[in-house]
Amino acid sequence: MRLAYDPALARRASDPGEFGRVAVLLGGDSSEREISLMSGQAVLAALTRRGVAAAAFDPQEHSLLELLEQRFDRVWIALHGPGGEDGTVQGALEYLGIPYTGSGVAGSAIGMDKLRTKRLAQAIGVASPEAMELHGPQDFELALERLRVPLIVKPASQGSSVGMTKVESPEMLPAAYAAAAAVDRSVFAEPWITGREYTVALLQGGALPSIRIETPTGFYDYQAKYFRDDTRYFCPSGLSQPAELHLQSLAVAAFAAAGGEGWGRADFMMDAAGRALLLEVNTVPGMTGHSLVPMAARAAGIDFDELVWRVLETSFVRVRSGPR
Ligand SMILES: Nc1ncnc2c1ncn2[C@@H]1O[C@H](COP(=O)(O)OP(=O)(O)O)[C@@H](O)[C@H]1O
Ligand SMILES: [Mg+2]
């Protein structure tokens, strides 16, 4: 039993019965477990309100094999971070023959890797801040020379700003590198961009209205994302119509270049010249009531329950094939 991928099978559903029994994958064992539990519970509640036969399933507590034993027909993936958003769960579901929402194995793995995402986006003409991979102290001098301070050091594969540091003076670089290297083998540095920050949600091949994010510190970090109440969001973002359409097209193109499918989000910052630079793509963005994708959907007239339904529809492109 395997899954086949066929984009021609994309379609809308009008009846909850078309989805069969749905497992909402939530929790998991990444550093973003708590956020995933919140996303997953919100998704489960929405599916239930819409009459879908759905249940929560935490892969930290149950083997994925139980999805077959419990006869689930498809999976809504609400896992964030490594182990859930990086292609590993997607690969297991391919092997088990259970259709799932969002990006496939390759797109998930690439999206989890910020450095590879940037390279693929740049290859199709979507600009991204210059990046330099840091393998160890031997690279510090060149990075400082090329990128100058302030710069930002990031682990390539964690989400929620874990292990990221703004480096404001050269002496800060060793500690910043150590913090990133503690959570990931791949570490890189980017120049610090001082312009405005935007994010664009992607759904079923199109882009939703962009959101402008304003933080008092200029750093939309873990605290700003989940705990501070002085982070401000603007949706519509205030861009002119042509600028909005341009940013949306960059988001669609970057997401596709990274192999993204179904739904997701692309993060950008504007440089001093007003050019949008891609920071990263997210293949399983947050889905709590306060999250960015639901906010963008609302601005497009799509309420939370409808958004969750449409994301579930993205699983229709994956179908069982071969003998059981
Ligand atoms: N090059 C940069 N210059 C300035 N701020 C940045 C830069 N890269 C990231 N940031 C800030 O850090 C936040 C998190 O970075 P991002 O690459 O989107 O990773 P993640 O969201 O996975 O933690 C961004 O939302 C932005 O506020
Ligand atoms: Mg981000």
Side-chain angles (χ1 to χ4, degrees), residues 82-223:
E85 194 174 348
D86 63 357
T88 54
V89 159
Q90 289 77 7
L93 295 169
E94 292 279 341
Y95 196 81
L96 296 173
I98 303 173
Y100 54 92
T101 51
S103 298
V105 174
S108 300
I110 294 164
M112 189 88 271
D113 186 328
K114 294 189 172 85
L115 203 47
R116 284 192 168 80
T117 300
K118 286 159 64 73
R119 288 176 180 152
L120 286 166
Q122 284 164 337
I124 58 147
V126 176
S128 181
E130 183 185 356
M132 213 186 119
E133 198 164 4
L134 302 177
H135 302 94
Q138 68 274 20
D139 293 332
F140 293 175
E141 202 182 317
L142 186 60
L144 289 166
E145 192 178 300
R146 268 182 48 189
L147 308 177
R148 315 231 164 241
V149 290
L151 55 76
I152 182 166
V153 174
K154 305 182 182 182
S157 74
Q158 289 280 333
S160 289
S161 314
V162 178
M164 283 192 195
T165 312
K166 179 181 183 182
V167 171
E168 292 176 279
S169 64
E171 313 80 72
M172 289 176 70
L173 185 52
Y177 173 77
V183 292
D184 197 344
R185 279 195 315 127
S186 176
V187 174
F188 67 101
E190 267 177 14
W192 182 263
I193 312 293
T194 37
R196 291 186 160 181
E197 177 162 0
Y198 295 85
T199 192
V200 180
L202 302 152
L203 180 63
Q204 297 181 329
L208 297 174
S210 69
I211 300 171
R212 182 163 77 83
I213 299 161
E214 197 177 276
T215 52
T217 59
F219 191 178
Y220 189 45
D221 61 7
Y222 196 77
Q223 288 297 323

Side-chain angles (χ1 to χ4, degrees), residues 255-278:
F255 190 66
E261 286 156 359
W263 77 294
R265 223 186 68 217
D267 296 344
F268 295 88
M269 291 193 77
M270 295 283 187
D271 69 8
R275 198 165 62 132
L277 305 176
L278 178 78

